[in-house]
Amino acid sequence: MNTWIIMMHELRRLFRSRTMLLNMLLLPLVLIFLLGASLSGVVGAKEAAKIEPVRVAVVNTGDGGAEASVMTKAFLETPEVKDILIPVETGSREAAESGLRTGKYAYAVIVPPGFDQGVQRGGQAELEFILGKDHTGNLVAGTAFDNFLRELNYKQAVAVTLGPQALTASSASAKNTGVVLGELNNGGKTYTAAQFYAASMLLMFLLYSGLTVTGSLFGDRENRTLLRINSMPVKDWQVFVGKMLGVGLVSILQCLAIILLSDWLFGVYWGNRPGLLLLFCLLMIIASMTLSVLVCLFSRTSATAANMISVLTVGMTFISGGMAPLPDSWVNSVGAFTLNHWAQQAIIRMMLHSGLEQLLPNLWVMCLISAVLFGAVIVSYRKVGYHA
Amino acid sequence: MHKIITIAWNMVRRSIGTVKGVMIFILLPSVVVAAIISFTGGAGEEQATVLYANSDTGAAGKHLLAELAKTGDYKLEERRDEAALKEATIEQEGTAGLWIPAGYSASLMAGQQPQVSVYELRASESSMVLRMKLTAITANMAEAAQAVAAGSSGTGDVQAQLAAVLRQAEQHNVGSTRTDYNLYPRQTLSVVTGLTLMFLMALVTSSVSLITDDRSGRTMIRMFSAPVRSYEIALGNFLGSFLVGMIQILVVLSLGRWVLRYDYGMPMALYFLVLAAFMLVSMGIASTVAGLIRNPRNAGMLNSLILTPTCMLGGCFWPISIMPDYMQKLANFTPQKWAIQAVDIAATGGGWNELWLPFAILGLMAAILLAVGSAILRPNEAGISA
């Protein structure tokens, strides 16, 4: 009964706090939106963005004039290239280099004498590129020239092996892109990158429920209200369990709200096993709450405890690759030591409609982690206790 | 002035005057930031793993993989079939998975425009670049295949001819040499800067929380009973936490520069200046929030409500240029964007004629936020725990 009253009070206290609600409901949705909007629309956004034309220094090291490469000139005059590159004829290599250093040019191309002849003869022909100061400039100009050279290379290859007459035959080229983004899922809705980040943010916020635990455990202690509660006929463990139940309920509600709202607002698809999804979330809540109870029991001030929990939360989310893309080798080595890793993989598999047998290992690992942490909490609660 | 300095000095002593304070405020953050620098700084040079499964028996599939390997940007790993490839992609064993369907070369010859599939669990810069490269190579291969098909007009072994053409192309007789004088900023610099900014912001929050502790502990009211003015208390506190912040930046920077040997590619003094300006802005944010929220615990939470979204929007985690247009406009409101821009300009050798803009914006943000923050700090009121 006492536990019940304390739990109800805890719930009332949490729901009355506006910051709490903002943090628990608004923030995750904002983050899911930000991550989804900025990272999943990647390809479309790239095409919409206008590219600033890049100034390219072109150096003909031949005798100039008649010796200049007709091919490069023709390439630089095609309309698509004119939009992104501004060629500037430069007298010498030295002038181009100093121009690159001062930022006058963003890229330099050295055309050796006899480049055209080399290409036509089927022999060696190489342009020299000098990279400039600006990353995007290098990328834009480099890609344009690379495409130009690659096309020449294939044409030359065709001409060398089949004879030059083969080249004239190939004029109609396929304008259909040769690469598609494959479907990872086994049925269900199309998977998007937004789902990945929705899952990682959900888990991060379930970990953040640890902060609510510190607030709840230290708040009464620092206000000296715990002393008053202790003077009532209430047992220590009843207060403790009541508080934890309250926080746990709020976390469950938060988790449901995030899942449902992200589904309604942004159309995030959470997979075909809602029951199992909730089970994983529940295990995650248990793990994160017991972890923060352990931290709280062994730290003296709420500031230390809160700092440690924030560091743990952000650190684990980051290491498991939930915030920003990390190198591949990390995700499965160091990342495996985080709580997020196991739950996240399971949730993504559910989104992709994987079979149950692929989910079970993750489930057992999560169960094991929760059980170990739960046991640790019981042992340390007996040693330390919760009183003023 | 004397009073302000006294309060500031007291603030510095309280936060980093003890061994524990040095540990928490100086040592721990600099180790964390240094770890991030060494980790992300090294990560940029690592090759991205690309998983592949090739069911094509002809020359085209082999050629595609050979060309990818030749770029030197990818570590290719084979998987048995498409199912295994998908599975490995979901397990995040590689950045992306490349699936070349059976009969790819044959349908290429028949002019059917076959497609290879790329699997990815999430979008990243490297998987985007991979798709662009594949698109270019497949387009060229399709052209070559059409030339072969048209030229041979049904006679002879077209597959062998295609193989010969592609083998010839693999020689790269027409190619390029790249001369790299390392003029451009290191690619990792913006990531390193972004993460440093994030941690600085979090650190400032913790030193500003000392101020709110003073208020809720009613220390400020006692201070107020001494002959000091409200603005002197506010200024003293800000100056104190600014000094602590300076020391933090200095330690972090010198650890990265001289111990980890990370080359920032720009003058250290300038980098310090950018971080200091950003520090002022985040102090303004933290104190405004602290003034608005009376309960120090909630203040910390509200800060995280501001910190993570602005870091994402401001380009701390990924380049702003890959975001949609409207998001890029929104990013102008975050101090992180301007700090990163200042670092970018400085790293490409831009002078003050370009640098003044980000600094002016950061300065303006700091001035406004600090003014608001000190106005609503109201040291004469006790903290209300609500």
Side-chain angles (χ1 to χ4, degrees):
Chain A
M1 191 57 209
N2 285 334
T3 311
W4 180 254
I5 292 171
I6 285 165
M7 184 189 90
M8 287 313 285
H9 170 255
E10 194 67 26
L11 282 179
R12 227 171 291 146
R13 192 180 67 81
L14 286 174
F15 277 113
R16 239 184 322 190
S17 156
R18 231 175 314 147
T19 9
M20 201 67 210
L21 288 179
L22 274 181
N23 242 316
M24 289 196 316
L25 298 178
L26 191 67
L27 182 58
L29 292 174
V30 167
L31 291 187
I32 291 174
F33 171 74
L34 278 180
L35 279 164
S38 40
L39 287 181
S40 57
V42 164
V43 185
K46 196 81 186 171
E47 276 157 3
K50 51 209 169 300
I51 303 171
E52 290 267 310
V54 178
R55 291 172 70 85
V56 181
V58 181
V59 185
N60 280 304
T61 48
D63 296 332
E67 277 287 306
S69 166
V70 184
M71 282 186 184
T72 5
K73 206 167 231 162
F75 162 70
L76 288 170
E77 267 158 24
T78 49
E80 302 99 73
V81 176
K82 264 191 166 162
D83 284 346
I84 52 171
L85 302 180
I86 304 173
V88 183
E89 292 271 345
T90 312
S92 68
R93 189 195 166 95
E94 285 71 39
E97 272 182 24
S98 75
L100 282 178
R101 281 185 201 281
T102 54
K104 197 168 151 203
Y105 311 122
Y107 208 71
V109 182
I110 314 279
V111 186
F115 174 75
D116 287 15
Q117 288 88 326
V119 174
Q120 275 150 7
R121 263 204 326 274
Q124 290 277 345
E126 279 194 344
L127 294 182
E128 186 185 353
F129 300 147
I130 306 178
L131 302 190
K133 275 175 162 181
D134 181 36
H135 187 66
T136 23
N138 285 336
L139 196 72
V140 169
T143 318
F145 277 106
D146 275 346
N147 285 345
F148 164 63
L149 287 179
R150 193 184 294 115
E151 213 172 304
L152 279 185
N153 182 39
Y154 279 90
K155 287 215 171 113
Q156 192 204 36
V158 170
V160 165
T161 31
L162 302 176
Q165 78 283 355
L167 273 182
T168 48
S170 72
S171 51
S173 61
K175 281 287 161 258
N176 204 350
T177 169
V179 181
V180 284
L181 203 57
E183 297 251 347
L184 270 177
N185 53 350
N186 313 312
K189 292 190 187 169
T190 312
Y191 172 82
T192 63
Q195 280 172 284
F196 181 91
Y197 290 106
S200 72
M201 285 300 118
L202 172 69
L203 294 175
M204 184 171 105
F205 280 92
L206 293 185
L207 275 182
Y208 258 130
S209 64
L211 277 186
T212 327
V213 172
T214 50
S216 162
L217 287 184
F218 278 101
D220 275 341
R221 201 185 272 180
E222 282 168 5
N223 288 342
R224 306 267 187 278
T225 22
L226 189 60
L227 211 59
R228 292 187 217 173
I229 297 174
N230 283 156
S231 67
M232 306 276 183
V234 191
K235 295 214 169 58
D236 281 357
W237 68 263
Q238 286 174 328
V239 181
F240 183 77
V241 171
K243 276 173 177 291
M244 288 308 101
L245 279 180
V247 176
L249 261 180
V250 171
S251 302
I252 292 172
L253 280 179
Q254 179 196 15
C255 161
L256 283 177
I258 294 177
I259 292 176
L260 291 178
L261 284 177
S262 65
D263 186 12
W264 287 335
L265 295 178
F266 315 130
V268 174
Y269 175 63
W270 288 92
N272 58 344
R273 299 177 199 274
L276 206 56
L277 176 67
L278 288 185
L279 183 61
F280 268 106
C281 290
L282 201 65
L283 283 171
M284 192 70 188
I285 291 173
I286 293 175
S288 86
M289 277 180 56
T290 43
L291 188 67
S292 21
V293 167
L294 279 180
V295 171
C296 285
L297 286 181
F298 290 107
S299 41
R300 225 169 305 148
T301 64
S302 70
T304 336
N307 275 343
M308 234 165 104
I309 289 165
S310 319
V311 168
L312 273 177
T313 304
V314 176
M316 285 208 276
T317 313
F318 188 80
I319 291 172
S320 70
M323 273 191 178
L326 291 185
D328 316 311
S329 51
W330 269 64
V331 177
N332 282 309
S333 55
V334 187
F337 288 98
T338 62
L339 281 172
N340 307 47
H341 177 83
W342 300 99
Q344 169 134 5
Q345 225 168 33
I347 292 178
I348 284 169
R349 281 182 183 288
M350 283 187 263
M351 287 172 171
L352 297 171
H353 289 215
S354 292
L356 188 61
E357 68 282 359
Q358 286 170 311
L359 297 170
L360 286 178
N362 292 44
L363 186 62
W364 299 141
V365 171
M366 285 302 291
C367 283
L368 186 73
I369 294 174
S370 306
V372 168
L373 284 173
F374 201 79
V377 164
I378 292 177
V379 172
S380 27
Y381 181 80
R382 291 208 163 170
K383 286 231 154 100
V384 184
Y386 177 63
H387 40 73
Chain B
M1 198 59 212
H2 176 69
K3 291 166 192 161
I4 298 177
I5 290 174
T6 312
I7 295 176
W9 179 239
N10 186 41
M11 180 87 185
V12 173
R13 257 204 338 224
R14 263 171 66 202
S15 47
I16 53 174
T18 58
V19 176
K20 196 181 152 208
V22 171
M23 289 276 280
I24 292 179
F25 282 101
I26 306 284
L27 224 54
L28 189 73
S30 36
V31 167
V32 169
V33 175
I36 287 173
I37 288 177
S38 67
F39 167 50
T40 46
E45 278 107 53
E46 199 174 308
Q47 292 176 320
T49 311
V50 173
L51 310 163
Y52 72 91
N54 182 9
S55 297
D56 183 35
T57 46
K62 264 195 221 91
H63 175 70
L64 194 57
L65 293 173
E67 287 293 291
L68 269 192
K70 205 178 166 81
T71 59
D73 298 337
Y74 305 104
K75 201 163 72 192
L76 293 170
E77 265 182 46
E78 184 164 15
R79 289 292 178 272
R80 206 174 52 258
D81 51 20
E82 195 181 6
L85 180 70
K86 275 190 187 181
E87 186 55 35
T89 312
I90 296 173
E91 286 278 343
Q92 302 191 47
E93 285 168 23
T95 311
L98 166 65
W99 160 244
I100 304 169
Y104 180 72
S105 308
S107 53
L108 204 59
M109 288 305 303
Q112 281 168 348
Q113 307 184 355
Q115 290 178 313
V116 296
S117 310
V118 172
Y119 294 110
E120 59 179 23
L121 200 55
R122 54 175 155 181
S124 66
E125 236 183 329
S126 57
S127 74
M128 251 170 65
V129 174
L130 172 76
R131 266 191 315 193
M132 271 163 54
K133 278 189 183 141
L134 284 174
T135 312
I137 299 174
T138 50
N140 283 324
M141 276 204 308
E143 257 173 55
Q146 275 183 354
V148 172
S152 64
S153 61
T155 55
D157 188 359
V158 282
Q159 284 293 341
Q161 279 181 353
L162 177 67
V165 169
L166 295 180
R167 250 200 317 279
Q168 176 67 33
E170 271 169 43
Q171 311 243 316
H172 285 275
N173 270 342
V174 181
S176 60
T177 46
R178 253 155 228 254
T179 311
D180 193 346
Y181 295 121
N182 279 322
L183 295 176
Y184 50 91
R186 299 180 57 173
Q187 223 192 325
T188 52
L189 182 65
S190 57
V191 184
V192 166
T193 310
L195 293 175
T196 312
L197 290 183
M198 187 180 96
F199 273 86
L200 272 187
M201 212 166 163
L203 274 179
V204 171
T205 311
S206 64
S207 70
V208 168
S209 78
L210 273 183
I211 304 180
T212 48
D213 277 352
D214 270 358
R215 196 175 52 199
S216 62
R218 292 170 171 64
T219 322
M220 254 185 207
I221 287 200
R222 287 189 220 173
M223 261 199 247
F224 208 56
S225 64
V228 281
R229 309 223 165 187
S230 174
Y231 78 88
E232 286 171 332
I233 297 180
L235 268 183
N237 275 319
F238 285 148
L239 193 65
S241 45
F242 186 62
L243 280 177
V244 175
M246 291 294 104
I247 297 170
Q248 285 168 337
I249 298 177
L250 262 184
V251 173
V252 166
L253 277 187
S254 29
L255 202 66
R257 181 70 188 85
W258 284 290
V259 180
L260 291 168
R261 311 230 153 246
Y262 183 80
D263 179 16
Y264 290 99
M266 60 190 284
M268 288 287 280
L270 204 52
Y271 202 73
F272 179 80
L273 213 57
V274 174
L275 292 186
F278 178 76
M279 186 97 180
L280 269 181
V281 181
S282 33
M283 262 175 61
I285 294 176
S287 57
T288 307
V289 170
L292 282 175
I293 309 293
R294 297 275 130 169
N295 188 341
R297 240 191 318 277
N298 285 350
M301 280 190 140
L302 203 69
N303 255 322
S304 69
L305 189 70
I306 292 170
L307 188 134
T308 339
T310 52
C311 277
M312 285 178 178
L313 206 56
C316 286
F317 299 143
W318 53 76
I320 286 185
S321 56
I322 71 169
M323 303 200 299
D325 240 9
Y326 65 96
M327 302 265 283
Q328 295 192 23
K329 291 205 179 84
L330 267 181
N332 287 335
F333 291 99
T334 63
Q336 288 94 332
K337 187 219 152 158
W338 297 104
I340 291 176
Q341 196 175 51
V343 170
D344 258 3
I345 293 175
T348 50
W352 280 101
N353 57 335
E354 291 175 77
L355 274 175
W356 71 269
L357 179 70
F359 270 105
I361 290 174
L362 283 177
L364 208 63
M365 280 182 176
I368 293 172
L369 285 168
L370 280 175
V372 173
S374 54
I376 57 181
L377 190 63
R378 278 173 299 197
N380 51 336
E381 285 175 23
I384 310 144
S385 48

